Amino acid sequence: MIEWMVWTPPTALVFAGLALLLAGMTVWARISPPVARRGFLRIETDRGDRLYIGLISAAVVLTVWIAVTDLSMWLALACALLVLLVIGRWG
């Protein structure tokens, strides 16, 4: 079925994590409907919007990190997660 793809364990974990995150957000939205609010992003966003913006921002942080430095990717991951959390909480 998907033998043509080279699924390494880290790649599979990332996609499984994203699937679990989206499933969790769907359940959370059913239990407690999201409410739009304004944060430091200066636009009205709900939880899902902030998650999407945060994931894209984290990907940008990781990409820029790879492009400009040879420091540890664990540090890059920590920075990307921090960006994601800040946008999710206060965005």
Side-chain angles (χ1 to χ4, degrees), residues 61-77 79:
V61 167
L62 291 170
T63 303
V64 169
W65 191 279
I66 290 169
V68 300
T69 185
D70 289 330
L71 295 175
S72 171
M73 282 304 292
W74 290 110
L75 187 56
L77 181 61
C79 291

Side-chain angles (χ1 to χ4, degrees), residues 22-87:
L22 291 174
M25 289 292 288
T26 301
V27 171
W28 188 11
R30 287 291 202 188
I31 293 170
S32 171
V35 176
R37 64 174 175 81
R38 285 184 191 263
F40 69 83
L41 294 174
R42 302 285 184 222
I43 56 174
E44 201 169 278
T45 59
D46 65 18
R47 291 191 287 260
D49 298 331
R50 290 189 299 276
L51 174 66
Y52 178 75
I53 293 168
L55 287 172
I56 296 298
S57 299
V60 169
V61 167
L62 291 170
T63 303
V64 169
W65 191 279
I66 290 169
V68 300
T69 185
D70 289 330
L71 295 175
S72 171
M73 282 304 292
W74 290 110
L75 187 56
L77 181 61
C79 291
L81 289 175
L82 180 64
V83 166
L84 179 63
L85 291 173
V86 167
I87 289 174

